[in-house]
Amino acid sequence: MQVIIIYIIIDYFNDFIFQEREIRSLSAEIEILKNPQNLNPSQRLDELREENAKLKYRLNILKRSLQEDKSPDNKSMMNINQRLQQIFSEAIQASCPELDNPPLAVTPNQQAKFGDYQCNSAMAMAQMLKAKGMKVNPREIAEKIVQNLPDNELIQKTEIAGPGFINVHLKRTFVSKLLSNLLVNGVQPPPLESRKKVVVDFSSPNIAKEMHVGHLRSTIIGESICRLFEFLGYDVLRLNHVGDWGTQFGMLIAHLQDKFPDYLAVSPPISDLQAFYKESKKRFDDDEDFKKRAYQCVVRLQSREPDFIKAWNLICDVSRREFQKIYDCLDVTIVERGESFYQEMMTDVVKEIEGRGLVEMDEGRKIVFVPGHSIPLTVVKSDGGYTYDTSDLAALRQRIFDEKADIIIYVVDSGQGTHLQLVYAAGRMFGWYDPQVTRVEHAGFGVVLGEDKKKFKTRSGDTVRLIDLLDEGLKRSMDKLKEKERDKVLTPEELVAAQRSVAFGCIKYADLSHNRINDYVFSFDKMLDDRGNTAAYLLYAFTRIRSIARLANIDEATLRKAAETTEVLLDHEKEWKLGKCILRFPEILQKILDDLLLHTLCDYLYELATTFTEFYDSCYCVEKDRQTGEVIKVNMWRMLLCEATAAVMAKGFDILGINPVQKM
């Protein structure tokens, strides 16, 4: 068996070498034939030109074959927009070689009658040529681009419209082939050039304080960004930069010693850590002796005395248990790495920048000015303690040098933007990273507002506890399901699964469907509405799509076999529209990878669901006898379109952290 494999590899390698040599030979022959003046005039000139055209055709075939051989994974979904950009880039370079970095603009066509995609580069290229003193009509440039399009598997025809728009019509047979590939292999990510390391800093509550609605956005957005990168094949480290060090712990430990003096022997029954925190804070503010003792506790904690570390761990563990309840509800996976993790590293950071002569003294503080920023970083306080600036610098340095991260994303509210930009600028000044090599980015977000358009708070004016918000979501989703009489058709277990799916899915989607940069209004009524761009609508739509095969008595094995043997016909305009919409999924993911705006995926899923509804209303998938209800005909290629739609929706839900159920 091994010998056979070796022979196959040798045969493949020889074929590869042969193709490479033939390409070089043909390329050289074409260059000679491009200059007929170098040849003796003869009657064979026309024949040579014809031979030249044939050689070009053969060369393109070989190049395409070689490219397919090099392709690492033909099971992956193709990014059609990216492939068209490659094709048009080659044509644009050939059309205007005098332009450096000519513009490349290929986008989906908004109106189907004008084609499927559109290249809008000709107008901008005309402007660039004009700046060089060359006046050229954009339509002429568009014509040149079309003439120079390389042979490809994707384009059926092109049309030039208006001042130079190039409308692109895709080959239906090729789109059908891509859909079959999706059905056979599942929703696979596009090939990844290299598996980069990504660190995402998100959620980040403070120990001894309950998670509130303000933590909701960071947690949900950060989790979805991680899921996106993981699906695309990156190595992702999810970090919870928890506030677990500092003055408040001296206060808490001092209060713990008074209230539970036997805490070293018996674990204290702290059930309400928020109340415990408020009690200690009141004592800290009102009692000067208690305040002094609290400061002493901080010093002893930072000296790592065992009894104080034990007290600190007890308080942290109570918080962790409460945080975990939230993470379990929201299906969030995260690695805790609190401020305490970076304590010793802060000393090294200060030594490093002092050694470079970058530290200045300011009334006992050690500060660092970064060019272009008027506010300095305070790396050491006048009392010798470290600051948030120091811990954030230490964290950035650790992520770059120890984790060897290629991409670092901070999912933190927009109010921290100035601080983070200062930290990033300092990292660049210290030579820790080059932004052309390492991507360090702040994925900022706005605040959550109540329906009165003010910061979301309880009626008493307190910040809304996140656990209370989730409980309210569960109550309202159950009310909604009973209103739809789902409790009469679902088992108790199915009803609870549907309740959790709707409640937590709607809360997540309500956040993610808005541009994260903006504030958004939180409304249970809107998020549970089963009309419009909501999770409730999408979950019901998904459940209906999944039920089509079941109601037609078609099992998974039959669908799998059909995927391998049945051509997905796209003759009807609604079939064609749905097929193209399904295959835009990789384009959507690439856009989010670039700008980290997850509402783009929500908008796409809503578009996919509504496009499916148009298709289902116009194209019979299953035909039944009107009297008996018996299935008399199944249009299998349309059933496959249903399956492809559901597969892409399911993957989209997974990236958003939404868990659909089979019955709802």
Side-chain angles (χ1 to χ4, degrees):
M1 184 65 184
Q2 289 179 337
V3 173
I4 293 170
I5 292 170
I6 291 168
Y7 275 121
I8 290 170
I9 293 170
I10 292 171
D11 195 38
Y12 174 82
F13 182 72
N14 288 337
D15 187 50
F16 179 84
I17 296 297
F18 172 76
Q19 288 186 357
E20 289 277 20
R21 286 176 180 167
E22 191 166 355
I23 285 173
R24 286 198 294 272
S25 173
L26 289 170
S27 297
E29 196 168 343
I30 286 169
E31 287 303 314
I32 294 169
L33 293 171
K34 275 182 181 177
N35 301 294
Q37 65 271 21
N38 295 338
L39 301 170
N40 294 325
S42 77
Q43 297 175 344
R44 293 188 61 244
L45 190 56
D46 289 340
E47 293 176 16
L48 289 171
R49 283 179 175 149
E50 186 180 345
E51 182 66 14
N52 187 13
K54 290 179 180 178
L55 286 168
K56 277 187 176 178
Y57 176 77
R58 173 67 181 150
L59 181 61
N60 282 329
I61 293 292
L62 278 167
K63 281 182 177 178
R64 200 157 66 239
S65 169
L66 196 58
Q67 190 62 40
E68 287 173 2
D69 286 343
K70 290 179 180 178
S71 175
D73 183 4
N74 59 8
K75 294 180 180 179
S76 300
M77 286 187 75
M78 175 187 282
N79 185 329
I80 293 176
N81 193 308
Q82 207 169 64
R83 178 69 184 114
L84 286 172
Q85 286 182 24
Q86 293 168 356
I87 292 166
F88 274 92
S89 176
E90 191 174 330
I92 287 167
Q93 292 286 352
S95 302
C96 292
E98 63 271 36
L99 289 180
D100 294 325
N101 299 316
L104 178 62
V106 180
T107 58
N109 224 325
Q110 298 304 310
Q111 298 187 55
K113 64 181 179 181
F114 295 130
D116 306 310
Y117 284 80
Q118 192 175 77
C119 176
N120 304 327
S121 299
M123 286 72 74
M125 290 168 67
Q127 290 297 317
M128 291 177 72
L129 289 168
K130 185 179 179 181
K132 286 177 171 280
M134 303 164 64
K135 193 172 181 181
V136 185
N137 188 312
R139 277 191 73 95
E140 292 176 24
I141 297 174
E143 287 167 2
K144 272 189 178 182
I145 293 171
V146 168
Q147 289 166 8
N148 283 292
L149 285 171
D151 290 331
N152 64 84
E153 73 285 18
L154 201 52
I155 299 174
Q156 180 69 43
K157 66 174 182 176
T158 56
E159 297 166 340
I160 299 171
F165 301 111
I166 303 172
N167 291 324
V168 179
H169 296 259
L170 301 177
K171 289 181 181 174
R172 296 199 178 209
T173 52
F174 190 74
V175 170
S176 173
K177 182 180 173 184
L178 292 179
L179 289 166
S180 294
N181 180 64
L182 183 157
L183 287 158
V184 170
N185 298 305
V187 183
Q188 300 293 335
L192 195 65
E193 289 182 10
S194 60
R195 191 166 188 259
K196 294 182 177 180
K197 176 73 173 285
V198 183
V199 172
V200 184
D201 177 327
F202 68 104
S203 194
S204 306
N206 288 315
I207 293 291
K209 295 182 182 178
E210 288 186 293
M211 290 179 75
H212 55 76
V213 73
H215 295 113
L216 180 70
R217 300 209 74 184
S218 178
T219 304
I220 290 172
I221 295 167
E223 173 70 16
S224 292
I225 287 173
C226 291
R227 286 169 177 257
L228 171 66
F229 276 100
E230 284 167 347
F231 171 65
L232 293 173
Y234 291 81
D235 177 14
V236 178
L237 174 60
R238 304 141 165 264
L239 286 185
N240 200 2
H241 190 78
V242 170
D244 68 347
W245 207 250
T247 304
Q248 75 269 26
F249 282 93
M251 175 181 85
L252 288 162
I253 291 169
H255 188 53
L256 179 74
Q257 290 172 335
D258 292 345
K259 194 162 185 177
F260 303 103
D262 59 346
Y263 74 90
L264 290 172
V266 181
S267 184
I270 304 173
S271 57
D272 189 344
L273 192 59
Q274 188 78 355
F276 188 84
Y277 178 87
K278 286 180 179 178
E279 289 171 10
S280 64
K281 182 72 169 67
K282 189 173 188 310
R283 292 184 69 191
F284 185 83
D285 293 338
D286 298 344
D287 185 338
E288 200 60 36
D289 289 338
F290 180 82
K291 181 183 283 189
K292 287 179 184 176
R293 193 153 57 85
Y295 281 131
Q296 291 169 358
C297 289
V298 174
V299 173
R300 298 179 75 176
L301 172 64
Q302 292 179 345
S303 301
R304 300 192 178 272
E305 290 187 26
D307 288 0
F308 289 82
I309 290 291
K310 173 80 181 286
W312 172 72
N313 276 323
L314 285 170
I315 294 164
C316 289
D317 285 344
V318 174
S319 274
R320 285 190 192 104
R321 287 195 293 273
E322 294 304 309
F323 295 161
Q324 196 57 47
K325 291 177 186 176
I326 304 289
Y327 296 141
D328 288 344
C329 286
L330 297 175
D331 195 17
V332 168
T333 305
I334 195 165
V335 174
E336 183 186 312
R337 192 172 285 175
E339 291 170 354
S340 58
F341 178 83
Y342 302 100
Q343 285 303 300
E344 293 179 9
M345 299 176 199
M346 292 188 213
T347 305
D348 295 336
V349 165
V350 174
K351 282 181 182 176
E352 178 184 336
I353 56 182
E354 279 184 322
R356 297 185 182 194
L358 297 171
V359 173
E360 299 178 25
M361 296 302 297
D362 177 59
E363 297 181 353
R365 298 182 306 152
K366 292 182 179 180
I367 62 173
V368 177
F369 278 99
V370 180
H373 295 264
S374 57
I375 302 171
L377 286 164
T378 300
V379 294
V380 181
K381 294 187 292 185
S382 56
D383 64 1
Y386 296 133
T387 68
Y388 287 124
D389 292 347
T390 331
S391 63
D392 284 339
L393 285 171
L396 177 63
R397 188 176 184 275
Q398 192 274 339
R399 292 163 188 181
I400 292 168
F401 293 106
D402 296 351
E403 301 298 341
K404 296 180 170 47
D406 301 289
I407 301 170
I408 307 172
I409 298 167
Y410 291 73
V411 187
V412 182
D413 70 86
S414 295
Q416 298 296 315
T418 301
H419 164 70
L420 288 172
Q421 293 308 320
L422 183 56
V423 170
Y424 303 160
R428 295 192 295 273
M429 182 179 78
F430 302 153
W432 290 350
Y433 76 98
D434 177 353
Q436 300 298 318
V437 177
T438 306
R439 177 182 176 185
V440 180
E441 188 167 346
H442 173 210
F445 53 85
V447 300
V448 182
L449 304 175
E451 294 189 67
D452 57 0
K453 305 292 176 68
K454 295 179 181 177
K455 204 165 184 180
F456 195 36
K457 292 184 179 292
T458 64
R459 288 181 181 177
S460 62
D462 294 332
T463 303
V464 178
R465 299 195 321 163
L466 196 44
I467 195 69
D468 292 342
L469 183 142
L470 296 177
D471 287 343
E472 180 69 12
L474 285 169
K475 177 185 174 299
R476 291 193 183 221
S477 66
M478 180 59 81
D479 292 343
K480 189 77 174 179
L481 288 164
K482 288 181 177 178
E483 179 188 311
K484 288 177 159 291
E485 298 187 334
R486 306 312 296 161
D487 54 322
K488 296 179 180 177
V489 295
L490 300 176
T491 66
E493 293 78 13
E494 289 170 343
L495 186 64
V496 169
Q499 176 197 23
R500 293 179 67 84
S501 176
V502 172
F504 302 144
C506 286
I507 288 170
K508 290 179 181 182
Y509 194 86
D511 189 310
L512 297 170
S513 61
H514 291 84
N515 187 324
R516 63 170 166 77
I517 296 167
N518 303 328
D519 300 343
Y520 89 95
V521 175
F522 189 96
S523 166
F524 275 116
D525 290 337
K526 286 182 181 176
M527 70 175 62
L528 290 168
D529 195 340
D530 54 9
R531 297 162 297 177
N533 188 7
T534 65
Y537 168 76
L538 290 174
L539 287 166
Y540 286 123
F542 177 78
T543 305
R544 284 197 303 273
I545 296 168
R546 278 288 192 220
S547 69
I548 293 168
R550 187 170 66 249
L551 295 172
N553 298 319
I554 301 173
D555 58 23
E556 286 187 21
T558 303
L559 285 168
R560 278 198 302 273
K561 186 174 180 181
E564 295 169 356
T565 58
T566 304
E567 181 185 1
V568 181
L569 300 178
L570 301 167
D571 297 333
H572 194 285
E573 64 169 322
K574 299 301 182 184
E575 294 171 339
W576 178 236
K577 184 179 180 182
L578 178 60
K580 289 186 298 177
C581 189
I582 292 167
L583 294 175
R584 277 186 34 235
F585 187 55
E587 299 172 25
I588 299 300
L589 299 189
Q590 182 58 52
K591 184 179 184 305
I592 302 168
L593 196 67
D594 295 337
D595 60 25
L596 304 177
L597 296 174
L598 288 150
H599 71 276
T600 307
L601 178 54
C602 299
D603 291 344
Y604 166 76
L605 291 175
Y606 180 60
E607 180 190 348
L608 181 59
T610 54
T611 302
F612 177 84
T613 300
E614 289 178 24
F615 153 78
Y616 195 64
D617 288 345
S618 303
C619 304
Y620 286 114
C621 298
V622 180
E623 297 179 37
K624 295 184 178 181
D625 185 286
R626 291 189 178 182
Q627 272 74 42
T628 65
E630 184 183 350
V631 174
I632 55 176
K633 184 181 179 183
V634 174
N635 294 319
M636 191 56 78
W637 76 93
R638 289 176 178 168
M639 292 299 303
L640 292 175
L641 277 171
C642 297
E643 287 300 299
T645 303
V648 169
M649 285 187 75
K651 180 49 67 178
F653 284 148
D654 186 57
I655 291 170
L656 297 175
I658 294 172
N659 179 31
V661 291
Q662 292 298 318
K663 293 183 181 181
M664 189 174 293

